[in-house]
Each structure stands twice: as C-alpha cells, then as structure tokens.
Amino acid sequence: MSQEKVRQLTGVMASIFSHIGHIPKEEVKKISGLGENEFNEAYEKAAGIGDRILKTEGNKMDAFVEHFAKEVDEYFRHYGGKMPE
C-alpha cells in the first residue's frame, strides 16, 4: 500500500511539471509507474496545483512547495497523519 501512495505522489509531482510545460505527459506516466485510471487521477490533481502555481505572484517555487505539501499531507492522513514506519 505505501508503494502505491509513493507512486501517486510521484505522479502528482511529475504531472505538475507537465502542466507547467517542462515534461511531456507520456514521460510523466512512465515516471509515475501508475495504471491508466490512477495516472489520470494524479494528472487531474496536478492540473489544479499547476494552475495555482502559475497564477501566483512572486516566488513560484514557494507556491509549488506550499501546494504540493498540502497534497502530501492528504496522502499521509491514510497513516493517521504520521510518516509510515
């Protein structure tokens, strides 16, 4: 289960870079290692994050870290809010 969560986070992170124009979608799918449905879900989540980053005034890296951190927090709720051991 934790490997799948890591793949999902990797898919979301890589997809953000795809949405802002730095890597093709096909390469992101390979990087993530996700199946079609799981990848589409991650890619959709990344679309919203990418849009928020691009709309941010100022330091876009800070916006990336802030929005991606929220996604990481959501995935760790599965573990009761703690890092898996």
Side-chain angles (χ1 to χ4, degrees):
M1 181 68 107
S2 61
Q3 288 181 358
E4 186 63 25
K5 294 290 182 190
V6 170
R7 281 189 201 103
Q8 289 171 341
L9 286 172
T10 300
V12 171
M13 185 172 70
S15 293
I16 292 168
F17 288 100
S18 178
H19 283 290
I20 59 177
H22 294 288
I23 186 171
K25 184 177 181 179
E26 298 78 29
E27 288 184 34
V28 171
K29 188 164 190 268
K30 288 180 195 175
I31 290 168
S32 73
L34 294 169
E36 193 69 34
N37 291 337
E38 294 84 5
F39 174 74
N40 289 335
E41 183 180 312
Y43 201 78
E44 276 296 310
K45 285 184 180 189
I49 295 170
D51 287 345
R52 290 190 295 270
I53 290 169
L54 292 174
K55 291 176 184 175
T56 298
E57 297 288 328
N59 189 328
K60 303 231 186 277
M61 182 55 75
D62 287 346
F64 169 80
V65 171
E66 175 187 344
H67 294 295
F68 188 66
K70 289 177 186 175
E71 191 67 26
V72 171
D73 284 343
E74 181 181 319
Y75 282 111
F76 282 127
R77 280 188 219 146
H78 170 77
Y79 299 105
K82 299 177 183 175
M83 295 284 288
E85 295 181 19

